[in-house]
Amino acid sequence: MVFQKSACIEPMYGELPFLERFRAAKEDGFRFVEFWSWTDKDLEAVKAAAEAAGIGIAGFNGDAELSMIDPSQKEAYLDFLRRSVEAAKRVGARSLTIHSNGLGEGGKVVDSYEGLSGAVKICAMFDVLKECAEIAGNAGILMNLEPLNVTTDHVGNFLQTTRTAAELTRLIGSPNLKVLYDVYHMQLNEGSLCDNIRAYGDQFGHIHIADAPGRHEPGTGEINYRRVFNCLEDTGYKGLVGFELIPETTTANAVKAIMQY
């Protein structure tokens, strides 16, 4: 099976102005693009660039610096999420990515909330996720809950494992709320990639790809991506595969490595 591919055009195609990256990704064989934030973008220009290139928009982050594990931020979190839904509708994006903790510049965790117990955090997150699912269902879009690595890029993030994310989405049971399974993050946090794909792949709404260590293209690190892709196929995954990676040298060389898989 050949999965439909999405290029994350924040770390990829950095040698080009942002609006030129849509056409470059299309010419390289990607069916979709995705990016991180929307508040710093001209949404009308983004929509026009995607339409001119003939490429879809897979999605972007929906929650910025707000956190769903802090009960005091619930209303602010959901208000911003609703704004993100409207932004997604404006550009025709398919999904929003959501996280347990707010993320600041460079993806750094804004606050790990050491003063809150694990029980408060998980209950607050479950409470917010139920409303996320309702908002997503009413809007007709997908929301993907993403666990992040805490060893390298997102120290202090609360949601760290595939199991916790997938058990939350299973409990809520909405077709509009799924898990973003980032292979790079989960290799750093938990390993056992194929075991976790088999156990929880029914909850995956989007896949992110980068090798570890380094977060570069497949083939530059320790992950056996042929096994990973075969396992995803065996589980019946039919969603998008997004390449959220930092090219080791150039985007052109990274694309060559991607297309080998």
Side-chain angles (χ1 to χ4, degrees):
M1 177 180 180
V2 178
F3 295 107
Q4 291 190 71
K5 295 179 288 295
S6 173
C8 185
I9 56 173
E10 301 266 15
M12 295 180 67
Y13 299 99
E15 62 272 22
L16 297 173
F18 185 76
L19 293 177
E20 294 180 19
R21 300 177 194 181
F22 294 81
R23 185 171 299 280
K26 175 68 173 182
E27 291 174 351
D28 281 339
F30 293 99
R31 295 282 300 278
F32 292 86
V33 296
E34 54 194 86
F35 45 89
W36 289 330
S37 63
W38 64 267
T39 55
D40 58 348
K41 308 290 191 300
D42 180 335
L43 295 182
E44 293 307 314
V46 164
K47 181 180 180 181
E51 289 177 347
I55 197 166
I57 298 177
F60 45 80
N61 290 342
D63 47 15
E65 297 185 359
L66 293 162
S67 172
M68 67 170 73
I69 63 171
D70 177 3
S72 71
Q73 290 195 32
K74 176 182 176 179
E75 294 308 320
Y77 183 96
L78 293 172
D79 285 346
F80 185 84
L81 188 67
R82 292 184 184 96
R83 290 177 56 206
S84 297
V85 167
E86 293 306 311
K89 288 181 178 179
R90 285 178 64 185
V91 300
R94 293 164 46 130
S95 69
L96 294 174
T97 304
I98 55 178
H99 307 89
S100 62
N101 296 61
L103 303 176
E105 187 174 353
K108 292 187 182 300
V109 172
V110 175
D111 192 336
S112 59
Y113 298 98
E114 294 298 324
L116 298 179
S117 70
V120 168
K121 292 174 184 178
I122 199 75
C123 289
M125 184 160 64
F126 184 73
D127 186 40
V128 170
L129 285 171
K130 288 190 295 182
E131 300 211 33
C132 290
E134 183 177 355
I135 292 168
N138 290 338
I141 67 169
L142 184 64
M143 290 190 190
N144 294 307
L145 176 64
E146 184 179 24
L148 301 172
N149 84 73
V150 294
T151 65
T152 308
D153 302 294
H154 308 287
V155 175
N157 195 66
F158 178 65
L159 184 61
Q160 302 175 19
T161 68
T162 309
R163 178 179 179 177
T164 300
E167 288 182 344
L168 285 165
T169 59
R170 277 180 182 164
L171 281 170
I172 292 168
S174 167
N176 296 88
L177 179 67
K178 295 295 181 181
V179 174
L180 195 164
Y181 184 73
D182 188 306
V183 182
Y184 161 77
H185 286 313
M186 294 302 97
Q187 172 67 1
L188 293 180
N189 272 4
E190 63 189 13
S192 300
L193 298 175
C194 288
D195 285 344
N196 282 306
I197 290 169
R198 293 187 193 99
Y200 306 111
D202 64 296
Q203 290 301 301
F204 295 172
H206 195 71
I207 305 294
H208 271 170
I209 299 298
D211 217 331
R215 205 171 189 171
H216 303 309
E217 58 268 26
T220 59
E222 64 193 13
I223 300 175
N224 186 335
Y225 265 109
R226 295 197 187 280
R227 293 284 300 276
V228 168
F229 288 131
N230 287 340
C231 190
L232 284 168
E233 184 175 2
D234 289 345
T235 63
Y237 179 73
K238 294 181 173 60
L240 297 183
V241 173
F243 291 84
E244 186 192 44
L245 55 85
I246 303 166
E248 186 175 47
T249 54
T250 65
T251 299
N253 285 338
V255 170
K256 288 179 184 178
I258 289 167
M259 297 306 170
Q260 290 178 8
Y261 291 84

